[in-house]
Amino acid sequence: DAGITQSPRYKITETGRQVTLMCHQTWSHSYMFWYRQDLGHGLRLIYYSAAADITDKGEVPDGYVVSRSKTENFPLTLESATRSQTSVYFCASTPDSAYNEQFFGPGTRLTVL
Amino acid sequence: AQSVTQPDIHITVSEGASLELRCNYSYGATPYLFWYVQSPGQGLQLLLKYFSGDTLVQGIKGFEAEFKRSQSSFNLRKPSVHWSDAAEYFCAVGWGMGGSQGNLIFGKGTKLSVKP
């Protein structure tokens, strides 16, 4: 049971480049989420998805794009990376019920130079 | 807007001592409450959760938490801390309202250090 995986685990890129972070889950969970974790801010929700082809903005969506063509995948794209997007990114998923725990991936550490 | 507050950014306790990490949330409908732990370089792991019923919940690794509606709090406790408990702890609250059903709001975390 692979669970939820993220790739790459580490990424260094330059300002202005497009970057895509991948998230894959094997549980067929309906809900998936992207968070960023920054010192002093905890986890902040970027985007979430309630099902395939249904996505919505979270607290800090600017500069990010998501898609969800398949239930198991939820990629996050930085269309033109900025230094302020240097962060650790976590993907999470949860089953249909709104009140189940969220299961987190191992994270992707992104550095934008 | 709903919010979650963890007042202590960093706590240091001696190994074997008791621990209490505080979590308060803003007023709202009955919340769904979670504590997660994050070890360095790792993702978040669920310690325990409260949905309804007994307000004292038991979790993994010997942790427990108590929901106090009158104080809007959900504090995490452990009677005797082990060195391996050193990590960052996040309180999270869900209200499951409408289109944001399934979303959680996280506190900013409390980093726990354990002295030998």
Side-chain angles (χ1 to χ4, degrees):
Chain A
D1 186 353
I4 185 165
T5 57
Q6 293 182 236
S7 61
R9 293 293 314 279
Y10 302 91
K11 177 73 175 179
I12 299 174
T13 191
E14 296 177 338
T15 301
R17 291 192 179 267
Q18 182 179 83
V19 177
T20 296
L21 310 183
M22 303 302 295
C23 178
H24 175 78
Q25 51 106 353
T26 60
W27 297 305
S28 298
H29 285 173
S30 292
Y31 287 86
M32 296 187 74
F33 308 83
W34 274 107
Y35 294 91
R36 60 178 290 172
Q37 183 179 30
D38 305 288
L39 197 62
H41 290 278
L43 275 78
R44 293 181 290 175
L45 183 65
I46 304 171
Y47 270 95
Y48 67 98
S49 168
D53 297 322
I54 300 175
T55 63
D56 207 347
K57 297 178 180 179
E59 180 185 355
V60 289
D62 293 344
Y64 303 95
V65 175
V66 294
S67 62
R68 195 162 174 213
S69 57
K70 293 183 178 181
T71 299
E72 62 267 28
N73 296 324
F74 191 37
L76 176 73
T77 297
L78 289 66
E79 292 191 303
S80 179
T82 65
R83 289 194 182 90
S84 65
Q85 293 177 309
T86 293
S87 186
V88 181
Y89 292 85
F90 287 99
C91 178
S93 71
T94 193
D96 285 341
S97 168
Y99 314 122
N100 280 341
E101 67 179 280
Q102 290 186 14
F103 296 84
F104 283 80
T108 294
R109 182 174 294 275
L110 176 67
T111 301
V112 183
L113 302 177
Chain B
Q2 293 95 345
S3 64
V4 179
T5 301
Q6 294 181 244
D8 304 306
I9 296 173
H10 189 187
I11 286 181
T12 300
V13 301
S14 298
E15 191 169 15
S18 63
L19 172 70
E20 182 170 30
L21 302 183
R22 296 181 290 165
C23 174
N24 295 92
Y25 61 92
S26 62
Y27 174 80
T30 300
Y32 300 85
L33 301 159
F34 305 81
W35 274 100
Y36 285 85
V37 60
Q38 183 182 30
S39 298
Q42 303 296 314
L44 277 71
Q45 180 185 19
L46 183 74
L47 281 176
L48 47 79
K49 58 188 176 184
Y50 171 79
F51 291 165
S52 64
D54 191 344
T55 56
L56 183 64
V57 295
Q58 302 297 320
I60 62 171
K61 304 184 180 185
F63 285 91
E64 66 178 26
E66 185 172 12
F67 171 53
K68 293 185 177 180
R69 185 186 304 275
S70 61
Q71 298 178 18
S72 298
S73 69
F74 188 55
N75 294 349
L76 181 71
R77 301 194 294 248
K78 186 170 185 178
S80 179
V81 169
H82 188 262
W83 64 266
S84 60
D85 294 324
E88 190 154 20
Y89 292 81
F90 292 93
C91 179
V93 182
W95 282 274
M97 293 168 56
S100 65
Q101 189 177 39
N103 289 4
L104 296 178
I105 298 175
F106 284 83
K108 294 183 178 181
T110 298
K111 184 176 180 180
L112 174 66
S113 298
V114 180
K115 292 190 299 185

